[in-house]
Amino acid sequence: MIVTKSWLNEWIDLEGISTKELADTFNAIGLEVDRIHEYRVPAKIVFGKVLECEKHPDADKLNICQVDIGSCIRQIVCGASNVRAGLHVVVATIGAVMPSGLVIKPVKLRGVDSEGMICSASEIGLPDLGKGIIELDASVGTFSLGQEVNENPLFNDDLIEIELTANRGDCLSIRGVARDLSAAFDRPVKEYEQTDNDEKRGIGRILSLTHEKDLDVNLRYKAIDLKELVLPFVVKLRLGQIEESRKCDVEAMTLYVTHATGVILRAYRHEFFTKDDEVMAKIILGEDENGYACIKTQEGQIASIVGIIQKDESKVTKNEGIVLLEASYIPPDIISKKMAEKKIESGPMFYKTSRGSEPELNGGLSYCIDLIESNSVSSTFSGSIELSTSFREKNVIVTKQEIDEIIGANIDKIVITKILKNLGFDVSKSSVDKFVISIPQFRHDITNKQDIVEEIVRMVGIDNIPSKPFLLKEANRLEDNYFEYKKRSVFRHRCAQSGFFESVHFVFDEKKILESYGFETTKKDLELLNPIVQTLDTLRPTLLTGLLKAASSNIKNGYASVRLFEIGSVFTPTREESYKMSFVFSGDKENENLANSGKPEKVDFAFFVQKIADVVGDIELREYTTKHALSHTYQSAEVLLNNAVIGELFRVHPEVEKAYDLHRTYMCELDLQKIPYALKTAQQRSKYQASFRDLSIIMPKDMSYERVKDVIHTHARKEVVRFYPVDKYSDESLGDNISLSLRFVLQSDEKTLEEEDITAAMDSILDALNKKLGIGLR
């Protein structure tokens, strides 16, 4: 948002406030200043008047002018096409040093003496306003011939560009910014005095407005018979300062008023809405094929999409004839949501409407009418035509005690009341200890008492709230959120100790990519209204795609082994948040070294599983098919911890590896909330020596290890502490069978096991395997 000090001064008295103080105040109240630009016209550049203007005898494009500069009359040769007698101009006199470094001296141009230069805007350091010299008018205020231009505040101004957050649409106008300054400086906003210069002809004679259905749109129309409109210099200058321009003067005027007041204005040709030679223009508010509210003719031709774009055919192209001026308001959440559902082409006003425009339509429309009438010989039709929907008033109730407790300081009630009133909030219904606050329609970002307190804090200033010493109490302040944080911190350290590097991404991801891999994304009615970019347009349901992109970037940067992890939030389609811990391991198992002769092996399934176990603990795997398309068809498993499923582990599908330019890659995603984390409890351990026994059993190839494990768990004697597979072997002699070697750890709490105890334990297992599964020793 671009403002200038002189423009702001038209809406709030800034006397005695320097530009630096103004910028510091903006930063203090949350309107971050991005840049400041000073306009300083050099000395010896004065106001003048062209008394005579004649063609140069030896040059078609030059004119010989007699210019009154107050102290004398100077002859100046000028090549501007718009120079003429009677024009008030800006003159660089002898000795003036121009911003370009040019020093003005007496010269001869094609044999004719010239003492000075009649200047264009860019020549004196102002924005380029197009071809020709400056044509001064009453909009610059009073001045005398010979007076230095830099004494006029318009020519000696400061431009301030403010970086606004997306929720502060109320500050996308000069008046809106002035409203925040009103609360900061406790100075009133200057209310615009509306005048009534309407003629006797009523607008109802030439315009009618109907609507096809109830839409959340407010419209107001005025009609003006436009004649001899001249765009004032101050409008040209300020549009140049905000880096905007329009070919048609009427459109330039509506743009200027929109930037000043925040009211969205459009100008239409009256005849666009008439049929044949009819005088009556008929405007219809309806919906287009995409469900957007639109302004159209009785034949169905669309003039504009409300808040989005105006069609070129309906625009005013000349400064005469009957013009229909429209002021509109549509709630920003409606238009943003609609654009997210069905994106269409948008115009320059969409940014303002999608962030929140000014709903006080009559003020902006009257301001525009008065500006046009004062710079033309136009006449306005009496009355206006409007279509309004009722505004559902929002109220927030907060006590003085609650405000003080949230802020941590006692803020005087009178100060709070002044701040809220100056910001446009209605507090007339408040009582002694309770604020009943009516939220104005232009502050759609205010919804609860915390928002109200934030407004008070930013106006009081965080540095102006007195500091207090910490109050230490013996009560335990540790709550669940602390232990959740501690858990995440512990597992981050474990991941790092196991050789993984942390990767951090936005909680947003690209909806199209996620859905192509089969992930469920956020429901349409809960989707983001204003995504940062189109590639971050939904809340992420998984950490896997972000890690894949990070791994791909590392591989492309020359890393042969990529080991990354991330602990972060993911969201269900209904926006329920949870924490996941995900890993990716791609390429070499280890770096090149002497032990591997500079040729490290690629990571494999078993190695990756061991790495995950180093972080999480004693995990088990179970055959599993993932619900997404990232995984290899035959290399995926559920991850179990203490017999509970906590996530999944898989090799990345070769097609996905190819798409991301990855080597052999493995990934794992675990539900952090399902991983146990509590105080360690000491457990009794046997003091007697453990014994080990290996069994090699013959079993069918198609029999799952899960069945074997279940039988052993069920029938093993208490001396069997644990067991695990150590080898698998097959050859032609075994046919459709395989040999599976299992290692058993046996230990007793009462004694050192003897050979017969061990043999008895092994026999009971073999007997159970034979009876239940029909398998036995090799």
Side-chain angles (χ1 to χ4, degrees):
M1 175 63 193
I2 296 176
V3 302
T4 66
K5 192 174 180 182
S6 67
W7 206 349
L8 277 173
N9 201 57
E10 292 181 6
W11 293 91
I12 182 173
D13 183 9
L14 297 178
E15 185 179 356
I17 299 174
S18 67
T19 302
K20 182 182 183 307
E21 186 179 354
L22 197 59
D24 290 343
T25 302
F26 279 139
N27 287 323
I29 63 177
L31 306 181
E32 184 180 349
V33 174
D34 191 47
R35 69 182 176 102
I36 297 175
H37 180 77
E38 297 180 344
Y39 293 105
R40 297 292 183 265
V41 176
K44 296 187 178 181
I45 298 178
V46 302
F47 293 110
K49 182 179 181 180
V50 179
L51 302 178
E52 298 177 10
C53 181
E54 298 178 353
K55 286 290 183 183
H56 192 291
D58 296 324
D60 293 337
K61 294 185 178 180
L62 296 180
N63 296 282
I64 302 172
C65 304
Q66 304 302 319
V67 184
D68 186 353
I69 59 170
S71 59
C72 62
I73 296 173
R74 296 290 188 187
Q75 178 173 283
I76 299 175
V77 178
C78 178
S81 59
N82 62 328
V83 67
R84 59 189 180 275
L87 194 65
H88 284 91
V89 292
V90 171
V91 181
T93 60
I94 303 300
V97 181
M98 308 302 285
S100 64
L102 174 69
V103 179
I104 303 300
K105 300 177 181 178
V107 294
K108 280 184 180 290
L109 294 175
R110 292 289 184 93
V112 176
D113 291 332
S114 181
E115 298 180 298
M117 181 171 74
I118 304 176
C119 304
S120 67
S122 59
E123 287 171 335
I124 62 172
L126 297 179
D128 187 2
L129 305 183
K131 295 180 180 180
I133 57 174
I134 294 173
E135 298 185 28
L136 298 173
D137 53 37
S139 66
V140 303
T142 59
F143 60 85
S144 58
L145 298 180
Q147 178 186 355
E148 292 212 354
V149 171
N150 58 22
E151 295 177 10
N152 187 294
L154 288 177
F155 295 87
N156 205 46
D157 207 354
D158 292 319
L159 179 146
I160 304 173
E161 185 169 359
I162 303 168
E163 189 72 29
L164 294 176
T165 54
N167 64 327
R168 291 306 308 275
D170 60 296
C171 285
L172 285 173
S173 66
I174 302 295
R175 183 188 181 193
V177 174
R179 193 160 42 210
D180 261 29
L181 291 178
S182 171
F185 293 127
D186 192 19
R187 298 186 181 187
V189 173
K190 299 174 185 177
E191 293 300 326
Y192 173 67
E193 295 182 5
Q194 301 175 19
T195 58
D196 185 8
N197 298 324
D198 297 355
E199 61 173 43
K200 292 182 179 180
R201 286 186 299 171
I203 192 174
R205 295 182 182 183
I206 62 163
L207 179 64
S208 68
L209 173 63
T210 58
H211 61 286
E212 296 175 343
K213 60 186 292 187
D214 291 333
L215 299 167
D216 289 319
V217 176
N218 286 359
L219 297 171
R220 193 178 186 95
Y221 290 90
K222 292 282 286 183
I224 187 167
D225 191 357
L226 197 63
K227 293 178 184 177
E228 300 178 21
L229 175 63
V230 178
L231 203 62
F233 174 74
V234 69
V235 173
K236 295 178 184 177
L237 175 62
R238 286 175 174 168
L239 289 182
Q241 288 171 334
I242 66 173
E243 300 172 4
E244 293 279 5
S245 65
R246 293 292 184 271
K247 292 181 180 179
C248 176
D249 288 348
V250 176
E251 287 212 326
M253 200 72 87
T254 57
L255 175 63
Y256 175 83
V257 174
T258 294
H259 195 82
T261 66
V263 177
I264 304 299
L265 297 176
R266 297 194 190 282
Y268 301 96
R269 293 186 297 109
H270 174 263
E271 58 267 25
F272 181 80
F273 296 97
T274 60
K275 191 175 183 181
D276 299 328
D277 295 328
E278 294 179 359
V279 176
M280 178 66 71
K282 296 180 180 179
I283 293 178
I284 300 173
L285 172 65
E287 289 184 342
D288 68 356
E289 68 275 9
N290 297 314
Y292 284 91
C294 67
I295 305 299
K296 56 186 178 181
T297 67
Q298 51 191 320
E299 289 85 16
Q301 188 177 3
I302 294 177
S304 68
I305 309 296
V306 178
I308 305 286
I309 193 170
Q310 182 179 0
K311 304 296 183 182
D312 291 339
E313 309 88 71
S314 67
K315 292 181 179 179
V316 178
T317 56
K318 52 186 178 180
N319 296 330
E320 61 179 18
I322 297 177
V323 173
L324 304 179
L325 292 175
E326 172 196 85
S328 65
Y329 175 80
I330 184 169
D333 55 335
I334 290 178
I335 198 169
S336 298
K337 184 178 180 181
K338 192 67 184 173
M339 185 63 91
E341 293 173 357
K342 183 70 176 180
K343 191 171 182 62
I344 63 172
E345 181 186 2
S346 61
M349 291 300 171
F350 172 67
Y351 181 81
K352 290 181 181 289
T353 53
S354 64
R355 296 298 188 264
S357 59
E358 177 63 49
E360 190 185 341
L361 305 185
N362 190 47
L365 204 53
S366 298
Y367 185 100
C368 186
I369 289 288
D370 283 358
L371 200 57
I372 291 175
E373 286 186 341
S374 62
N375 291 280
S376 68
V377 291
S378 307
S379 57
T380 305
F381 290 80
S382 64
S384 61
I385 291 180
E386 63 180 311
L387 176 66
S388 300
T389 56
S390 58
F391 166 57
R392 184 179 177 183
E393 188 178 73
K394 291 188 298 183
N395 289 310
V396 172
I397 300 174
V398 59
T399 64
K400 173 70 165 56
Q401 182 180 355
E402 286 177 318
I403 293 174
D404 290 345
E405 287 177 352
I406 294 174
I407 295 176
N410 181 20
I411 308 298
D412 192 277
K413 185 180 179 183
I414 296 175
V415 173
I416 295 174
T417 302
K418 280 184 177 181
I419 288 172
L420 295 175
K421 281 184 176 180
N422 288 334
L423 288 173
F425 297 94
D426 182 3
V427 293
S428 59
K429 300 175 185 176
S430 302
S431 60
V432 176
D433 295 320
K434 184 187 295 183
F435 288 96
V436 180
I437 305 161
S438 295
I439 311 301
Q441 195 173 1
F442 57 80
R443 289 307 301 271
H444 60 91
D445 58 312
I446 304 295
T447 57
N448 52 48
K449 62 181 70 176
Q450 286 78 11
D451 293 331
I452 294 294
V453 173
E454 185 179 336
E455 293 296 293
I456 296 168
V457 169
R458 73 185 183 91
M459 289 304 165
V460 171
I462 193 72
D463 294 333
N464 296 325
I465 296 175
S467 302
K468 287 185 175 181
F470 285 114
L471 180 61
L472 302 177
K473 294 183 179 180
E474 293 184 2
N476 183 11
R477 293 173 178 240
L478 300 181
E479 299 178 353
D480 290 344
N481 56 356
Y482 168 77
F483 291 107
E484 290 174 2
Y485 158 76
K486 186 66 177 176
K487 179 180 181 179
R488 294 195 297 271
S489 179
V490 166
F491 277 104
R492 280 192 176 96
H493 282 89
R494 287 188 188 178
C495 293
Q497 290 163 359
S498 297
F500 290 92
F501 294 88
E502 186 168 17
S503 181
V504 180
H505 303 88
F506 286 114
V507 295
F508 310 113
D509 209 336
E510 187 171 0
K511 191 181 188 77
K512 182 175 68 174
I513 296 296
L514 290 166
E515 290 180 342
S516 70
Y517 289 124
F519 291 100
E520 284 190 87
T521 55
T522 308
K523 290 183 177 180
K524 283 187 177 181
D525 56 341
L526 299 175
E527 198 53 275
L528 302 177
L529 293 181
N530 294 297
I532 302 171
V533 291
Q534 291 304 313
T535 54
L536 297 173
D537 57 354
T538 191
L539 292 168
R540 63 182 179 186
T542 179
L543 305 177
L544 297 174
T545 52
L547 284 176
L548 270 177
K549 294 173 188 174
S552 178
S553 297
N554 278 270
I555 290 293
K556 289 174 182 177
N557 284 330
Y559 290 92
S561 177
V562 177
R563 292 158 284 177
L564 303 174
F565 80 93
E566 181 173 6
I567 298 176
S569 297
V570 297
F571 299 84
T572 66
T574 55
R575 297 183 80 160
E576 296 173 356
E577 183 180 8
S578 63
Y579 275 93
K580 292 289 180 73
M581 177 167 61
S582 295
F583 302 83
V584 63
F585 199 135
S586 180
D588 297 342
K589 280 185 181 181
E590 56 190 354
N591 295 327
E592 296 178 359
N593 55 51
L594 188 62
N596 57 42
S597 302
K599 295 179 180 180
E601 296 179 354
K602 299 296 181 186
V603 61
D604 55 38
F605 195 89
F607 185 81
F608 183 63
V609 171
Q610 184 58 55
K611 282 292 182 182
I612 302 302
D614 291 343
V615 176
V616 181
D618 191 11
I619 60 173
E620 296 181 32
L621 302 183
R622 187 165 64 193
E623 187 176 352
Y624 173 71
T625 302
T626 64
K627 296 178 181 178
H628 54 76
L630 291 179
S631 64
H632 193 290
T633 310
Y634 305 109
Q635 295 189 49
S636 59
E638 278 185 322
V639 181
L640 291 86
L641 187 63
N642 299 332
N643 295 320
V645 177
I646 63 169
E648 61 185 20
L649 182 150
F650 56 87
R651 180 186 167 182
V652 175
H653 195 284
E655 292 297 328
V656 179
E657 291 176 344
K658 183 178 179 182
Y660 284 91
D661 295 324
L662 296 173
H663 305 298
R664 187 188 304 165
T665 302
Y666 291 88
M667 301 192 79
C668 175
E669 184 160 74
L670 307 176
D671 189 336
L672 194 64
Q673 291 166 312
K674 291 182 180 179
I675 301 176
Y677 176 76
L679 295 175
K680 299 295 183 183
T681 304
Q683 296 179 349
Q684 183 178 352
R685 297 289 183 183
S686 174
K687 63 181 180 179
Y688 299 103
Q689 181 180 349
S691 299
F692 297 87
R693 283 292 184 274
D694 290 348
L695 292 181
S696 293
I697 58 176
I698 299 295
M699 58 183 285
K701 288 181 178 179
D702 58 359
M703 181 180 290
S704 68
Y705 172 69
E706 193 74 24
R707 294 180 62 189
V708 175
K709 185 179 70 172
D710 289 343
V711 170
I712 296 175
H713 268 306
T714 305
H715 297 87
R717 296 174 62 168
K718 65 178 182 178
E719 290 88 354
V720 178
V721 178
R722 67 180 182 276
F723 64 93
Y724 50 90
V726 293
D727 187 34
K728 182 177 72 171
Y729 173 75
S730 65
D731 60 21
E732 293 181 0
S733 65
L734 294 176
D736 293 333
N737 296 323
I738 61 170
S739 173
L740 178 67
S741 297
L742 300 172
R743 176 161 295 169
F744 293 84
V745 181
L746 300 96
Q747 191 175 29
S748 171
D749 293 333
E750 300 169 355
K751 64 176 184 176
T752 299
L753 294 176
E754 297 181 3
E755 186 63 32
E756 55 265 27
D757 299 320
I758 298 171
T759 301
M762 294 294 98
D763 287 345
S764 66
I765 291 172
L766 288 170
D767 185 57
L769 289 173
N770 184 40
K771 289 180 179 179
K772 298 295 181 180
L773 301 177
I775 60 177
L777 285 175
R778 180 178 174 183

